[in-house]
């Protein structure tokens, strides 16, 4: 058991640190004096910086070298993240593309797709977004209704709506899950597609959250035409392809507990500044929060150890998110009680956090669904009776509509 | 023994629901938060319904009703998150009604022509002997304003501040506790004088009208009323906030239950899943507990005044927890959509988060419950 | 809204108080100097005292006058309880019989049964026990397996096992739910019987709890013969008859929150004695406990108001038990933390309470089943899919056995 | 970076599980609670396995292993609720190993021939500058024993008491902190002398050996060791208790999951219901969090000593909560049967309830986490 780098890891760390030392002056400034303020300017600068990071070997660390990656392991990816954070510079802009969608294309895409898309994705020239969730397909992802119909010439026509899409407002492409056959049970009739976000018929609309900010988007597809070879991984294989993406999502979540910025020290500093450090109630509550968040950090190291040994993290990795979100909610409660109503002032970082967390709780699957999955797949408990098994999707929909 | 509502109380409640249904309060709350438009003024609605005079006796133009009736109206306001400035007004008129030398003010207060606001002043507890008022930020409390000597007209000068005073913006008269030579006195000050500054503040929930109030040599009438009336007003304000909260819980529950019946996942309505069903029964459990304590507070206000601090604090403690739980359940059962700006759930959430911090905070109410129980146990 | 007595209620209270004043010297002493210590002696004395209370009009308050009751309402019953508590004397011994089983016999029994059983029950001459729950039929009460077979002469032969039976060790009779037809769906093949506890083949065994004390019993039936007319409410109608008993149970629970002795003042006194009253954490925790327990007291008054107006309390009355048990658990935790390990000493009242509560949580139906029922019956939420509907009981059993 | 167990650690754990499986520990725990028979003496098992010398270096007859290895063994003991008096012994040997003048004691401690027990002494925290020890009852803490001047042989007289000392009954040597002239010193006292009184006490969990220890002019060796070693022993004891608890959680979870698969109600295995399934995943969540913190504590003991107090306190806080939750879930998922004497669930429940109150209590560990985080934040 060792938290230290192996010699190879130490060498990679040294290289990363040296590169950052040399190149950090090129990094966009996002806060403090001289910070960029315009959204468009920020995006442009971060895309450019992502390209530099990729050239420096600090993006796509686990991607194969053939596609511009480093061909290294998950520990090196974490080391890159640690060094970027240590240097005080922004990380890559398109974490979703590079972390989840690129690996999906590497696993299931055609050679033409890999050649066309991976390079510009890694270098931030083309940002990607993930088009899976729908208003009526959240927890039950396989219930999606966005429909792709085949035209006579083999091309596709896409209609429907996606939701909770990060980065859609400036993405070049999206990886989209659509229903191509409604007459088979719901997991069987799905196909994954590459969709150019500038295609006619694609509309992106910001979706404002409790805080008032548009953290996510809705994306509407109105008779969008896609070429015959736009599918990734084969027609009707969409569910299998999506599971690959979700597996990479889980890896990202498992390693990324700290990435959300819910650090016990940040909370402790706010409480110290308010002079609350001797209040026994504050101590009890902060102690519980800090203990849980510290646990999540070491759970991340355990996941990393498993990844290094070639194991794929199971769904239990999602429990780290449950812990993180619930601890951060408890921290928001505590800080609000200590600071009083000013913690809820519109410019307060705490008002932002308090507003953001309830939505985050459901993002990427509700806690309830996660607990079902873990109960069944990790603890081996029997599944709930499923009423939708083997039923053609079109029949299921008809039943629901009748019930309402 | 009979905890049923009287026919008059049922009518009062129905009339309130009807009157408030004429305004789209939730839409207005969202628009106000957006800064798009200011909130509709619901005071005329309140005046028409006779709510300003609920706690003022009939000979002074009021309805001569009891705290429980006021709580029924507060509950209906809470149900639709209506920004009716009753909390401050009713607590203030409870003090004025108890003052021998304030009877001439009462008719204008009762009609609503002159709106009053209560300056929250927390009475001493078993573990804290001082009267105190809200601080602008951070833990701890501030002393109540200082009151100078009374002049020949029964007036005195007031110096000091009270933060986060509910319903102060636009109030004509401010009523609260001050300290003079180590004694607590009640005072009423017109807001229409240079020595009074009312600085409106908005925090998170646009339907909650708040202000920081500063007195700099303001002229006030010293009220000839027992200190008990000042203490009782604090507890009344707690009970009214609890009633408002229970109203909001009730409507959040209705909306969420309906959604849980209509929304399907994995081929079943989500309300058929235990995780959803049990969360909703937990909302119900907390709501029913809160409501039972509203009955207790309503009974105790006049029926057992010694128990009123316990009853009101317990109601606030349970109702505050119920609203926080209900708002979070509302968001989480609605899935992602419940966290979006267009949905009503965030309005309930904002209401819950701010309510928790006002009037001393829900936590202090919990401590007060303990203090009252310790006092009973020590007998 | 009024917590005070009506003139009629005040008159009843005065009568009750006067009677108790006159007769309290006859009451058995259960604690303090001169207290009875022998179990058998205590039971005998309490039975005798129950008879006196019945004569004085303080037992069976809501029973019809025809059967020795007072024909009064629920408020008078509560008043009787309040005055008994005020006088510091024990209440009736057979609260289960008089509160739940007697009313079931009044509702469904034959005239012969009413004439034979009600009088001795009310006067404590014959104590009763409730024989419903079984090892494999707790939450799912209709799954009971105790079998009654009809002999050629119309009499019955009973075999099986019951559990969680209070008072079985000194009861004269039990009201027992048995399966008389396994070949119909499970709710349909049940019958309620009166069983003499001294019949050959009946064995009672104490069931020790966490605390080490035998709060409940197991009861075994080995070929117990019952006469042909032992059924209550008709053969095959057992489920309907049982629902009546459960409805009276709910009334008892709804009114009885305080009866369990989980009084905030009791907890506050223990904390005061330990000098903990100024500790902010103690205050917060006691405050929450006391607020909830106080709520339950007023919920009881609301239930009583509804009963007075002729309404039957719904399943939501069970939430009061949830609140009471969970608040008492929280109180046990708090007191143990304040007093330290001595709170867990074998002679400590707190060790007893802490040990008793986890079992009480499941007694009379688990919290989960209660929440299901309330969600469905009070909030109108859809039921869970049931896999046992309309299936003959014998088939269901075969399936379960195969699955294990 | 690698948090995997080494092959030796896997072997150590398997060997421990195997050795403990030879004794019916749960049955013995129930019988002991019943007063029917005393617990089996598991010290010979421990000695045979080499556990007494885990933390003593090889040149003094020990295994020269690390805190994490000790925690692996503690976890296995906890898994079967085995009453092995290791917690007291290992914390005591950690102090003796750090003392320059105690090397001659070590071989007998390492072999287990002479068992040691640690007198819990809580080191100062950010909000409490004093060293303190357990009080017999009630809130608050007691000062550590007073130590007199050292005589020519390096001995001194000790006066004072320590309550609820784990594993003290039967220990040959008692090791802990004392105060002399305002300074903290470490001492070791033989229990076989008239000035030492060891009064065994049983509280709720018969597998937990406890005693009140009183020193009345007892002769002790003053240990030549840094105060840091005394502080570290406190945190080590917290971490060992946490490891024990996580072991108990793991076996409670296994048993309960199995029951949830086997028991049917309403035609379905109860584990298919969300209420049951989600409770069990909550046990898993808490267990995994606790286990992650055991890794942290195991790493920090030598790898980052400045973080060891935080790591150990966090582990205790989370593991204690996990065990309490797991034991209650075990009872409630088993329904009524889980609350009966014959079932194992009450044994886990008793273990959880007493563990929570020992070594300063779980609550103080939570406070220590906050204190450590505040100290880091203040930098």
């Amino acid at each position: 058991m060792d938290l230290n780098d192996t010699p190879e890891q130490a060498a990679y760390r040294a290289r990363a640190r040296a590169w950052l030392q040399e190149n950090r002056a090129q990094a966009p400034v996002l806060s403090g004096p001289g910070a960029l303020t315009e959204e468009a300017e920020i995006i442009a600068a971060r895309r450019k910086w992502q390209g530099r990071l990729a050239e420096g070997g600090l993006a796509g660390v686990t991607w194969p070298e053939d596609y511009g990656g480093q061909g290294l392991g998950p520990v090196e990816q974490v080391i890159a993240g640690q060094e970027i954070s240590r240097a005080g510079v922004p990380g890559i802009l398109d974490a979703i593309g590079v972390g989840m969608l690129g690996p999906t294309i590497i696993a299931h895409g055609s050679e033409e797709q890999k050649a066309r898309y991976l390079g510009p994705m890694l270098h931030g020239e083309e940002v990607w977004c993930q088009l899976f969730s729908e208003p009526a397909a959240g927890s039950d992802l396989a219930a999606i209704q966005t429909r792709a119909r085949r035209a006579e010439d083999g091309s596709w026509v896409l209609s429907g709506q996606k939701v909770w899409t990060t980065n859609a407002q400036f993405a070049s492409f999206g990886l989209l899950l659509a229903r191509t056959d409604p007459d088979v049970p719901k997991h069987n009739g799905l196909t994954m597609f590459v969709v150019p976000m500038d295609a006619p018929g694609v509309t992106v609309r910001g979706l404002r959250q409790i805080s008032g900010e548009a953290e996510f988007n809705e994306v509407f597809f109105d008779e969008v035409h896609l070429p015959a070879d736009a599918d990734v991984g084969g027609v009707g294989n969409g569910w299998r392809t999506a599971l690959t993406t979700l597996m990479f999502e889980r890896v990202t979540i498992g390693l990324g507990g700290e990435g959300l910025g819910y650090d016990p020290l940040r909370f402790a500093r706010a409480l110290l500044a308010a002079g609350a450090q001797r209040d026994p109630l504050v101590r009890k509550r902060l102690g519980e929060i800090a203990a849980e968040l510290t646990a999540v950090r070491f759970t991340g190291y355990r996941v990393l150890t498993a990844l290094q040994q070639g194991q794929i993290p199971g769904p239990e990795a999602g429990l780290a998110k449950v812990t993180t979100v619930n601890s951060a909610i408890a921290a928001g409660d505590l800080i609000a009680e200590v600071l009083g109503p000013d913690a809820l002032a519109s410019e307060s970082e705490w008002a932002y956090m308090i507003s953001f967390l309830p939505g985050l709780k459901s993002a990427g699957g509700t806690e309830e669904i996660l607990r079902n999955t873990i109960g069944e797949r990790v603890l081996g408990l029997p599944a709930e009776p499923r009423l939708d098994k083997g039923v053609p999707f079109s029949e299921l929909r008809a039943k629901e509509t009748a019930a309402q | 023994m009979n905890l049923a509502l009287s026919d008059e109380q049922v009518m009062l409640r129905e009339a309130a629901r009807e009157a408030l249904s004429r305004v789209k309060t939730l839409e207005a709350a969202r628009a106000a938060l957006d800064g798009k438009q200011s909130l509709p003024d619901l005071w005329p609605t309140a005046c028409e319904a006779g709510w300003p005079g609920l706690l003022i006796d009939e000979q002074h133009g009021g309805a001569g009703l009891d705290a429980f009736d006021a709580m029924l109206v507060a509950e209906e306001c809470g149900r639709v998150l209506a920004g009716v400035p009753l909390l401050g007004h009713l607590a203030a008129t409870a003090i004025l009604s108890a003052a021998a030398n304030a009877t001439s003010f009462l008719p204008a207060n009762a009609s609503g022509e002159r709106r009053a606001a209560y300056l929250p002043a927390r009475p001493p507890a078993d573990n804290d002997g001082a009267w105190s008022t809200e601080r602008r930020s951070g833990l701890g409390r501030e002393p109540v304003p200082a009151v100078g000597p009374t002049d020949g007209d029964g007036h005195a000068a007031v110096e000091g501040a009270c933060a986060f005073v509910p319903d102060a913006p636009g109030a004509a008269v401010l009523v609260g506790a001050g300290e003079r030579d180590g004694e607590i006195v009640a005072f009423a000050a017109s807001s229409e004088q240079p020595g009074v500054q009312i600085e409106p503040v908005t925090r998170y929930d646009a339907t909650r009208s708040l202000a920081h109030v500063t007195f700099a040599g303001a002229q006030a009438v010293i009220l000839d009323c027992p200190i008990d009336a000042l203490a009782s007003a604090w507890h009344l304000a707690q009970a009214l906030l609890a009633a408002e909260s229970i109203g909001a819980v009730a409507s959040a529950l209705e909306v969420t239950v309906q959604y849980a019946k209509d929304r399907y996942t994995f081929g079943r309505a989500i309300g058929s899943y235990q995780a959803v069903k049990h969360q909703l029964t937990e909302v119900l459990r907390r709501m029913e507990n809160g409501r039972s304590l509203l009955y207790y507070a309503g009974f105790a206000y006049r029926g057992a005044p010694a128990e009123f601090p316990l009853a009101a604090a317990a109601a606030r403690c349970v109702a505050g927890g119920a609203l926080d739980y209900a708002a979070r359940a509302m968001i989480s059962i609605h899935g992602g959509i419940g966290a979006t700006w267009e949905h009503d759930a965030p309005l309930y959430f904002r209401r819950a988060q701010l309510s928790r911090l006002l009037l001393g905070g829900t936590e202090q109410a919990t401590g007060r419950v303990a203090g009252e129980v310790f006092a009973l146990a020590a007998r």
Side-chain angles (χ1 to χ4, degrees), chain A, chain B:
Chain A
M1 206 189 68
D2 195 353
L3 284 182
N4 301 318
D5 292 339
T6 61
E8 296 75 26
Q9 290 162 356
Y12 175 75
R13 188 186 294 280
R15 275 207 315 280
R17 193 172 293 184
W19 186 90
L20 283 161
Q21 183 58 33
E22 223 165 281
N23 292 275
R24 58 182 297 174
Q26 319 294 326
V29 179
L30 300 180
S31 63
L36 299 172
T37 52
E38 284 299 310
E39 172 90 9
E41 218 179 12
I42 292 172
I43 299 301
R46 290 194 61 185
R47 286 170 59 168
K48 204 169 146 201
W49 175 240
Q50 179 174 328
R52 282 190 171 270
L53 286 170
E55 285 157 26
L58 283 124
V61 178
T62 59
W63 283 29
E65 288 177 78
D66 283 358
Y67 305 120
Q70 300 298 309
L72 294 172
V75 175
E76 284 78 5
Q77 188 185 319
V78 168
I79 289 173
Q82 288 171 342
E83 292 302 316
I84 286 169
S85 162
R86 185 176 178 277
V89 297
I92 64 172
L93 173 66
D94 190 9
I96 293 169
V98 175
M100 294 154 52
L101 308 183
T104 305
I105 290 174
I106 291 170
H108 299 288
S110 65
E111 285 313 313
E112 292 72 26
Q113 287 169 335
K114 294 182 197 177
R116 163 65 188 85
Y117 298 124
L118 292 172
M121 176 195 283
L122 181 58
H123 289 81
E125 289 153 22
E126 292 166 351
V127 174
W128 283 62
C129 62
Q130 179 187 5
L131 296 162
F132 287 16
S133 293
E134 296 185 5
S139 297
D140 183 7
L141 182 59
I144 60 164
Q145 296 171 28
T146 292
R147 192 72 173 82
R149 285 188 176 77
R150 200 143 211 172
E152 303 238 323
D153 64 354
S155 71
W156 298 92
V157 182
L158 187 69
S159 288
Q161 182 193 347
K162 296 288 175 178
V163 76
W164 315 124
T165 315
T166 305
N167 295 351
Q169 71 275 29
F170 51 75
S172 303
F173 292 97
L175 195 67
L176 179 141
L177 191 61
R179 184 163 305 280
T180 42
D181 185 352
D183 298 322
V184 295
K186 63 185 185 178
H187 292 82
N188 301 348
L190 302 173
T191 303
M192 191 73 79
F193 292 99
V194 172
V195 180
M197 295 297 285
D198 60 358
V202 177
T203 313
V204 175
R205 181 173 161 259
L207 192 58
R208 294 173 70 198
Q209 296 300 99
I210 297 182
S211 61
E213 299 195 28
E215 321 272 357
F216 304 103
N217 299 279
E218 294 176 290
V219 187
F220 299 87
F221 302 91
D222 181 16
E223 303 277 312
V224 175
H225 286 265
L226 300 176
D229 61 354
D231 68 285
V232 177
V235 175
N237 291 334
W239 186 247
R240 191 198 59 170
T241 312
L243 285 183
T244 300
T245 314
L246 297 178
M247 195 267 289
F248 284 107
E249 184 174 22
R250 195 183 288 156
V251 171
T252 311
I253 290 173
L255 296 180
E258 289 173 279
L260 294 164
Y262 302 134
D263 176 353
L265 288 186
R266 178 181 163 210
F267 304 140
R269 279 188 205 104
L271 296 167
L272 266 179
Q277 68 274 20
R278 295 184 86 86
D279 182 296
L281 266 161
V282 169
R283 293 174 73 86
K284 178 185 159 67
R285 291 164 72 179
L286 178 69
E288 285 172 351
I289 292 161
E292 295 241 319
L293 290 174
T294 304
V296 168
R297 179 152 58 97
F298 279 80
T299 301
Y301 298 155
R302 290 171 65 200
V303 169
L304 197 55
T305 299
L307 278 171
Q308 249 179 306
Q309 298 178 334
Q311 297 165 26
I312 307 270
E316 71 276 16
L319 290 175
K321 187 202 146 197
V322 171
T323 300
T324 302
V325 170
N326 289 329
S327 295
I329 287 172
D333 274 4
L334 170 58
I335 289 170
E337 271 170 41
V338 167
L339 301 188
D342 277 355
L344 299 177
S346 50
E347 66 281 7
S348 160
E349 62 174 311
W350 306 115
Y352 178 78
M353 180 176 96
I354 289 165
S355 300
F356 181 71
L357 285 165
L360 184 63
K361 212 171 149 85
S362 297
T366 64
E367 185 174 326
E368 287 76 20
I369 293 299
L370 179 73
R371 286 189 188 267
N372 268 11
T373 308
I374 293 170
E376 291 161 24
R377 304 254 302 279
V378 181
L379 297 178
L381 293 168
E384 295 217 49
R386 287 283 290 266
L387 305 183
D388 57 348
K389 274 226 176 117
V391 182
F393 184 72
S394 48
E395 268 182 43
L396 268 184
R397 285 283 301 144
K399 260 196 230 171
E400 277 178 37
T401 316
Q404 277 163 37
Chain B
M1 151 101 53
N2 175 13
L3 289 192
L5 300 193
S6 66
D7 291 347
E8 291 74 18
Q9 287 170 332
V10 171
M11 275 175 55
L12 178 70
R13 189 176 62 183
E14 296 308 316
R17 193 170 300 185
E18 211 280 311
L20 291 165
S21 72
R22 278 179 250 137
V23 188
K24 293 201 172 306
T25 47
L26 283 157
E27 286 81 342
R30 188 178 299 107
L33 209 52
D34 236 350
K36 281 188 190 145
Q37 57 182 76
S38 56
L39 278 180
D41 182 4
L42 293 171
W43 192 243
T45 305
C47 295
E48 203 180 309
W51 300 337
L54 276 173
L55 298 183
I56 295 170
D57 61 21
E58 290 174 86
Q59 72 183 105
H60 298 105
L65 294 177
D66 208 340
F68 190 69
D69 307 283
M71 285 154 65
L72 288 175
V73 173
E75 197 176 329
E76 291 307 315
C77 294
R79 181 182 284 273
V80 291
L81 306 185
V84 188
L86 272 177
L87 196 155
H89 180 80
L90 291 172
T93 60
I95 298 171
L96 293 171
S97 290
N101 61 341
T103 49
S104 63
F105 299 176
L106 292 174
N109 294 138
S111 68
E113 191 189 318
R114 282 177 68 77
R115 188 152 68 70
Y118 166 63
L119 301 161
R122 191 177 78 182
D126 64 320
N127 63 341
D128 179 3
W131 285 75
S132 63
T133 186
E134 314 293 295
R135 165 178 288 190
R136 284 206 182 193
S137 120
L139 287 173
R141 308 273 306 161
E142 294 292 327
V144 296
V147 175
T150 310
D151 67 15
D153 299 336
H155 287 79
V158 180
E159 295 280 340
C162 300
F164 298 110
V165 178
D167 304 327
V173 57
L174 303 163
V175 183
E179 190 179 329
R180 177 162 66 187
D181 306 331
E183 305 249 307
I184 293 298
V185 295
F187 70 84
S190 163
S191 66
E192 293 137 1
Q193 55 172 319
V196 174
Q197 200 201 326
I198 297 183
E199 178 197 335
V201 286
T202 303
R203 291 287 180 273
Y204 211 59
D205 173 5
T207 66
R208 181 74 73 192
S209 172
L210 292 176
H212 297 326
V213 175
T214 315
F215 299 101
Q219 288 298 301
V221 178
I222 302 306
L223 299 174
D224 179 13
C225 82
I227 289 188
D228 281 357
L230 277 175
S232 176
W234 169 263
H235 302 303
L236 177 63
Q238 306 284 329
L240 290 170
L241 194 56
E244 253 188 15
S245 300
I246 291 299
V249 171
S251 56
L253 180 60
E254 277 167 28
V255 170
T256 314
V257 163
Q258 192 57 51
Y259 185 80
K261 290 179 187 174
D262 291 345
R263 168 86 180 185
Y264 272 59
T265 191
F266 299 111
R268 286 162 55 184
I270 63 170
S272 71
Y273 291 96
Q274 285 188 334
V276 170
K277 194 175 280 174
H278 293 190
Q279 260 186 84
L280 288 168
T281 61
E282 178 63 8
V283 175
L284 179 72
R285 187 187 73 82
R286 290 167 177 262
M287 179 176 82
E288 292 300 325
N289 279 348
R291 199 183 295 287
S292 290
L293 290 166
L294 295 182
Y295 279 92
Y296 184 21
F299 156 72
Y301 184 65
R302 284 197 217 279
E307 296 175 41
F308 187 53
L310 170 62
R316 167 113 200 244
C317 162
V318 170
L323 180 54
D324 188 61
Y325 187 92
R328 291 186 187 278
M330 188 178 192
I331 295 175
S332 99
I333 291 172
H334 279 82
I337 200 75
T340 56
W341 187 262
E342 281 82 3
H343 200 273
D344 290 344
L347 299 171
Y348 287 87
F349 181 73
R350 285 173 175 262
R351 169 60 67 105
Q353 297 317 310
L354 178 62
S355 295
R356 195 154 66 84
L357 306 179
L358 296 178
L359 291 168
T362 305
E363 284 292 312
Q364 64 78 33
T366 310
R368 167 95 45 186
V369 173
E372 296 293 326
V373 171
F374 278 133
L376 287 170
R379 277 209 210 136

